[in-house]
Amino acid sequence: MTSQPASGPGPRARNRVFEGFRRAELLLADRRPLDALQALLPALESQPNAPSVHLLAGRAYLDSAQLAKAEEAFCRVLELDPADHYARFALGKALQRQGRLGEAKGQLQLATVMDPRPEYQEALGEVRARIARITE
């Protein structure tokens, strides 16, 4: 019987996790978010503090309309890396799709301040317009 060293999983296990992560990226690019989540499971289990793993999971949840799980994943990314502007943007989109426009606006404003990408500004404009229509 062999035991693994205290430093963590062996090279084969790390390779499987890495391959699963890369496969999940490809599946998500092919618009197969549920398959991507399946491929990502080993990475989620073995890398609970890796922002990139939670970010990819959040994207897959968002693309499969599992909005509460997407929100949870993006919040986890922000716990681990508060400066991740994309996670703030994606969290804003998840909140927007849940109809939580005020919260979405706050996250999208932060993302835009952190990195004024056109897609962030456009998303913020959409939320502001929806809020304005509601309050008229």
Side-chain angles (χ1 to χ4, degrees):
M1 182 167 135
T2 62
S3 63
Q4 290 184 350
S7 63
R12 276 192 222 139
R14 284 192 300 269
N15 282 342
R16 275 193 302 269
V17 168
F18 178 76
E19 288 168 7
F21 182 87
R22 291 295 176 221
R23 180 164 163 65
E25 287 181 316
L26 293 172
L27 289 164
L28 195 55
D30 285 342
R31 304 218 180 271
R32 296 173 53 194
L34 297 176
D35 292 331
L37 286 166
Q38 282 295 331
L40 196 57
L41 280 176
L44 282 167
E45 292 171 359
S46 68
Q47 304 293 318
N49 295 319
S52 60
V53 174
H54 291 283
L55 191 62
L56 188 57
R59 290 177 48 216
Y61 286 130
L62 191 61
D63 286 357
S64 63
Q66 298 180 64
L67 303 177
K69 287 184 178 183
E71 178 184 349
E72 184 179 314
F74 296 132
C75 284
R76 179 68 177 136
V77 173
L78 292 170
E79 286 174 18
L80 297 167
D81 182 6
D84 190 318
H85 57 86
Y86 180 80
R88 292 211 180 271
F89 165 74
L91 176 58
K93 294 299 282 182
L95 293 166
Q96 177 185 7
R97 288 179 60 187
Q98 293 178 72
R100 294 162 55 192
L101 299 179
E103 293 171 82
K105 179 182 166 194
Q107 292 300 324
L108 293 169
Q109 283 176 320
L110 284 170
T112 301
V113 167
M114 295 167 86
D115 188 336
R117 294 176 187 218
E119 61 266 29
Y120 295 3
Q121 294 176 15
E122 184 178 317
L124 178 57
E126 288 173 12
V127 168
R128 285 179 173 156
R130 281 187 61 194
I131 291 171
R133 282 192 300 271
I134 292 169
T135 58
E136 287 180 346

